[in-house]
Amino acid sequence: MDKRRKLVIDCDPGHDDIMAIMNALAHPELFEILGYTTVCGNNYVDKVTSNLCKVLTAIGVDGTVAVGYDAPMVLAPDPQPAAHGESGLDGPVLPEAKVRPVAEHAVEFLHDVCSQAAAKGEKITIVALAPLTNIALFLKTWPELAGAIEEITLMGGSRGKGNILPRAEFNLYADPHAAKLVFASGVPIVMSDIEICVECGTEHALIDGLKGQGKVQDLAHDILQFFSQYGRRRGLSYSPVFDLVPVMHMMHPELFTEKKCRVLIETEGAYTRGMTIVEEAKEEAEANVTLVEHCVDNEAYNRYFMENLKVLDEMVKEKR
Ligand code: BDR
Ligand code: CA
């Protein structure tokens, strides 16, 4: 029996989204990537979809890409050129895309893969690296398919820090109504928040060392050089690569501690939109989230990160 986890990666590439995707692609013995769904987040959906298709083309891998919503459920889009540049993925020079999105909408794609999994008595995992609009609207439309989702492992939220507002993380801030719906859905959620992403931060010297090592590592270098500008300008020696954490947590759970929590989402606050209220659950039944709490070995985490990029380089070399 095929024991690999079946993944749908919901994303808005996005520099760190691409690092998560490269790391997952490096391990086909662990993950079967059923497809990618894109959504408005860091930038509008046409831009982030085009970024993803160009990167897959640059690496030389194919994949099913289904385009999702171009706006959050209630609020207006809020692109982030300061973090990701005007294109949503500034930094690398990318080829014209040969990978093309399918005609199916992202939620229809989710419907199809969940229906097929349910029919076979299997489950899928959603890796959510962006605002939760696609996932919320899928669950709202077909709640009967929620049981086909083993878990949603997501990057989002915080225990107190903020990266878009003083107390709010971008993905949940961008579509708090979607987040509220997903967190109340009863689907098991694994949450990697700002705090754990900072603990897993990558030293800039490691990023600098990727140059000249191969096609994938060169591309990762150019992507991460841009993404780490913020930290470098502030004199930090490392940068968080947020979206990588959920993928690394699936690959190496031994590197992390976890805690069962009750997480609520603020949707209305003028200063707290998208803020997560995270409380340790007193009883298991009260918890709606497994919080990825601490990284016990930053050095090992980042060693695996660098190794995975090397592995993907070898894989795509062999394919040619
Ligand atoms: C999240 O916001 C996005 O811009 C990143 O790709 C990541 O998913 C970090 O808050
Ligand atoms: Ca993202």
Side-chain angles (χ1 to χ4, degrees), residues 12-17 41-42 80 83-84 128-131 155-157 163 169-172 194 227 242-243:
D12 62 340
H15 299 72
D16 48 338
D17 303 69
N42 137 51
Q80 296 299 314
H84 296 278
L129 310 176
M155 190 284 125
N163 62 1
E169 180 282 329
F170 175 73
N171 287 339
L172 301 199
I194 295 185
F227 200 49
F242 299 95
D243 290 339

Side-chain angles (χ1 to χ4, degrees), residues 176-196:
H177 301 90
K180 190 171 180 175
L181 211 147
V182 170
F183 277 65
S185 68
V187 176
I189 293 173
V190 180
M191 173 169 135
S192 295
D193 63 0
I194 295 185
E195 283 81 351
I196 185 66

Side-chain angles (χ1 to χ4, degrees), residues 213 217 305-315:
Q213 303 295 319
Q217 291 165 94
F305 177 17
M306 296 299 130
E307 276 171 19
N308 291 341
L309 297 175
K310 206 176 279 177
V311 167
L312 185 59
D313 246 327
E314 292 305 318
M315 275 170 56

Side-chain angles (χ1 to χ4, degrees), residues 174-248:
D175 196 344
H177 301 90
K180 190 171 180 175
L181 211 147
V182 170
F183 277 65
S185 68
V187 176
I189 293 173
V190 180
M191 173 169 135
S192 295
D193 63 0
I194 295 185
E195 283 81 351
I196 185 66
C197 295
V198 169
E199 279 190 25
C200 293
T202 302
E203 286 292 328
H204 296 148
L206 287 177
I207 296 172
D208 299 342
L210 289 166
K211 189 82 194 155
Q213 303 295 319
K215 186 166 78 168
V216 171
Q217 291 165 94
D218 267 339
L219 179 53
H221 170 269
D222 294 350
I223 289 174
L224 290 170
Q225 278 297 335
F226 185 93
F227 200 49
S228 59
Q229 275 175 29
Y230 178 92
R232 289 179 199 255
R233 277 200 214 107
R234 279 157 186 77
L236 297 174
S237 67
Y238 69 93
S239 289
V241 182
F242 299 95
D243 290 339
L244 176 60
V245 177
V247 169
M248 202 62 93

Side-chain angles (χ1 to χ4, degrees), residues 1 10 48 72 121 152 181 185 197 202 246-247 269 273 275 292 309:
M1 197 180 116
D10 187 76
V48 300
I152 298 169
L181 211 147
S185 68
C197 295
T202 302
V247 169
R273 162 180 164 185
M275 177 179 157
V292 183
L309 297 175

